[in-house]
Amino acid sequence: MNDAETARRLIAAARKAAAHAHAPYSNFAVGAALLLTDGSIVTGCNFENASYGLSLCAETVATAKASSEGRLRDVVAVGIIGGMMTDAIARGSDPIRPCGRCRQVLNEAAQMGGRDLAVFCAGAEGDRYETHRLSDLLPQAFGPGDLGIG
């Protein structure tokens, strides 16, 4: 599977996941899809809370889900989409990128698996996307290797 095909597949899965976002405060839905070594995909969506600090980003939800299935080391790529909710549908074509916390969470999976993740960033609508390496989004990352784990 080439990068363009992988990006399309992950972005489509992330868009589907974003439809389940619980975003009553920001009205900004985010979906994330993680590609695993066997070709399967794990998804997550953002989950907001009235106590804002307890909210969870889509990337964190997907990564925790992969970990809960014993698949943290198997993550090879991630697709992320987001946009404002209008009529219960996420809208917007500008690509979004993972926040700093999510970059760190994704780095955990990357370092545990011994790989640099491909990160495909898109908007809620349209065909435009960006391709990044996690190491470019989070240079000199701290992770399990710094603790002698990995």
Side-chain angles (χ1 to χ4, degrees):
M1 187 178 323
N2 64 38
D3 274 358
E5 188 178 323
T6 300
R8 281 192 296 276
R9 187 171 171 224
L10 290 175
I11 289 166
R15 285 184 174 141
K16 196 172 192 179
H20 303 290
H22 177 68
Y25 309 106
S26 70
N27 288 316
F28 194 83
V30 179
L34 306 178
L35 178 66
L36 305 181
T37 53
D38 66 0
S40 62
I41 293 176
V42 175
T43 62
C45 59
N46 56 321
F47 182 85
E48 295 179 354
N49 188 282
S51 177
Y52 296 140
L54 299 180
S55 295
L56 299 172
C57 298
E59 303 91 324
T60 298
V61 170
T63 304
K65 189 173 169 184
S67 182
S68 74
E69 295 173 5
R71 307 293 307 273
L72 185 63
R73 294 176 185 269
D74 296 339
V75 178
V76 296
V78 59
I80 303 160
I81 71 96
M84 293 303 295
M85 297 291 290
T86 306
D87 301 322
I89 298 171
R91 305 227 186 254
S93 60
D94 290 336
I96 67 158
R97 289 151 216 90
C99 71
R101 176 179 179 231
C102 288
R103 293 172 194 208
Q104 185 64 43
V105 168
L106 290 167
N107 180 65
E108 189 80 6
Q111 284 196 15
M112 294 301 289
R115 60 184 59 89
D116 190 5
L117 304 184
V119 182
F120 303 105
C121 305
E125 302 173 297
D127 295 329
R128 193 172 117 226
Y129 68 90
E130 300 172 348
T131 303
H132 302 278
R133 300 305 307 173
L134 183 59
S135 61
D136 293 330
L137 294 173
L138 188 65
Q140 300 177 332
F142 178 85
D146 295 296
L147 301 174
I149 302 168

